[in-house]
Amino acid sequence: MDGRDLARRIVDRSAAVAASLTEQTGVTPCLATVLVGEDPASVTYVRMKRSRCAKAGIRSRHLELPAATTTEELVGALTELSGDPGVHGILLQHPVGPHIDERAAFEAIAPEKDVDGVTTHSFATMSFGLPGGFASCTPGGIMRLLDEYGVDPAGKRAVVVGRSAILGKPVGMMLLGRDATVTYCHSRTADLGSVVREADLLVAAVGRPRFIQGADIKAGAVVIDAGYNPGNVGDVDFASASARASLITPVPGGVGPMTIAVLLEQTADAAVRQLGIEAAAGPDAAAAPAAVSR
Ligand code: NAP
């Protein structure tokens, strides 16, 4: 499953929305990125996100805070950005360091600017299938890939390995919303292999290189590898898994590009909502956001 091509189309559509908005209102959508500390991977991720914003005609404003920043200071900075009318979306790059209450920081992001889908408001709207919230970007990107390749989760046995707040948990809820029968696996799951072998649709979100081997993939399963480990390696052993799967995402080039694409799309859409105007939707109807039905 080619995430690069679909991501490019979503970014093109976001750029069209941003350009239309700028033309109509003189206001360019703006994403505020917040980085705490100097973790090299986080620095790279934020740089990539800002560079993609620039290419799509979306402004970005960057706030770099020292590693010793307290929860109160971070909450203060995010509250300020939430109240700034020149900022339409906010991305707090995580992890933020063990001394910070990450949940308190996320909750300081105004729901209408939560374009990374990290607040409880966004999680609740997504889980209940209500309008008005934003998808968690990686899970949102995964659902778009499934739609692009005509994979209907309804009735499928979906197994999600991983239950993090930004990835495993929300993607499981999205699959449930699309009528899959969902099982979550985690570090305390007994006999993980036997659960994985039952999956018609497998999402690997573990953070361990080549953790899932082809021998544990059901023949014909759809395999989504959300993992991204040092050396550009996923959580699934691609060589053995691709011999058994009907569809599989590569690493790199599968889920990764979708995350940033959804972030840009949601930033443009957040600006449209905040400015209260209609912006051109762009040429690609297939790139419209996937609905979560329940
Ligand atoms: P995380 O917060 O560390 O969560 C990892 C999950 O895997 C946890 O739920 C953990 O279980 C589970 N797990 C760990 N060891 C396990 C084991 N031996 N057996 C079964 N489950 C196990 O990681 P994350 O943030 O969700 O990220 C997961 C992966 O996705 C990473 O490779 C990350 O780089 C990648 N990722 C990619 C993107 C992208 O844009 N492509 C975005 C985000 C993340 P417990 O809950 O029991 O600890």
Side-chain angles (χ1 to χ4, degrees):
M1 303 167 90
D2 180 0
R4 285 195 177 117
D5 178 61
L6 177 57
R8 186 184 44 70
R9 281 186 275 135
I10 293 173
V11 171
D12 287 350
R13 175 184 173 272
S14 310
V17 170
S20 160
L21 198 66
T22 306
E23 193 184 308
Q24 288 183 63
T25 65
V27 178
T28 300
C30 175
L31 174 71
T33 54
V34 180
L35 179 65
V36 181
E38 291 166 7
D39 170 61
S42 295
V43 170
T44 306
Y45 289 143
V46 169
R47 195 184 304 129
M48 275 166 57
K49 288 167 185 172
R50 298 189 69 213
S51 128
R52 299 286 159 77
C53 276
K55 284 185 187 143
I58 293 173
R59 280 197 315 120
S60 64
R61 191 191 293 182
H62 185 51
L63 184 59
E64 233 168 74
L65 298 170
T69 300
T70 64
T71 299
E72 290 67 32
E73 288 165 339
L74 181 57
V75 164
L78 291 164
T79 305
E80 203 170 304
L81 290 170
S82 290
D84 185 335
V87 169
H88 305 103
I90 300 172
L91 169 96
L92 170 62
Q93 185 64 41
H94 39 89
V96 287
H99 65 290
I100 290 177
D101 179 347
E102 188 174 79
R103 183 45 43 203
F106 283 151
E107 298 309 331
I109 297 171
E112 68 274 17
K113 298 188 181 182
D114 180 24
V115 292
D116 201 23
V118 294
T119 60
T120 51
H121 178 274
S122 290
F123 188 84
T125 50
M126 177 272 294
S127 299
F128 289 122
L130 299 172
F134 288 104
S136 187
C137 290
T138 307
I142 290 171
M143 299 307 290
R144 300 287 281 279
L145 264 174
L146 293 176
D147 285 340
E148 173 74 6
Y149 282 84
V151 179
D152 181 1
K156 290 198 167 49
R157 176 79 189 265
V159 173
V160 180
V161 188
R163 56 174 169 180
S164 72
I166 59 142
L167 181 44
K169 222 168 260 172
V171 81
M173 293 306 292
M174 286 180 185
L175 289 166
L176 180 65
R178 298 281 298 275
D179 297 324
T181 302
V182 181
T183 302
Y184 286 98
C185 298
H186 45 77
S187 63
R188 306 289 297 275
T189 298
D191 195 4
L192 183 109
S194 72
V195 184
V196 169
R197 282 192 290 276
E198 288 183 9
D200 305 312
L201 202 175
L202 176 70
V203 180
V206 195
R208 292 179 169 230
R210 300 190 183 96
F211 182 69
I212 291 168
Q213 295 287 318
D216 284 334
I217 307 282
K218 182 175 173 178
V222 173
V223 177
I224 303 289
D225 186 355
Y228 190 69
N229 303 291
N232 277 355
V233 176
D235 288 349
V236 175
D237 179 54
F238 187 84
S240 59
S242 57
R244 293 180 65 82
S246 57
L247 285 168
I248 183 168
T249 57
V251 177
V255 173
M258 295 299 298
T259 301
I260 296 185
V262 171
L263 176 72
L264 299 194
E265 178 179 64
Q266 296 197 140
T267 301
D269 288 348
V272 168
R273 290 185 205 175
Q274 284 160 49
L275 294 166
I277 65 143
E278 288 289 316
D284 188 357
V292 174
S293 62
R294 312 156 207 245

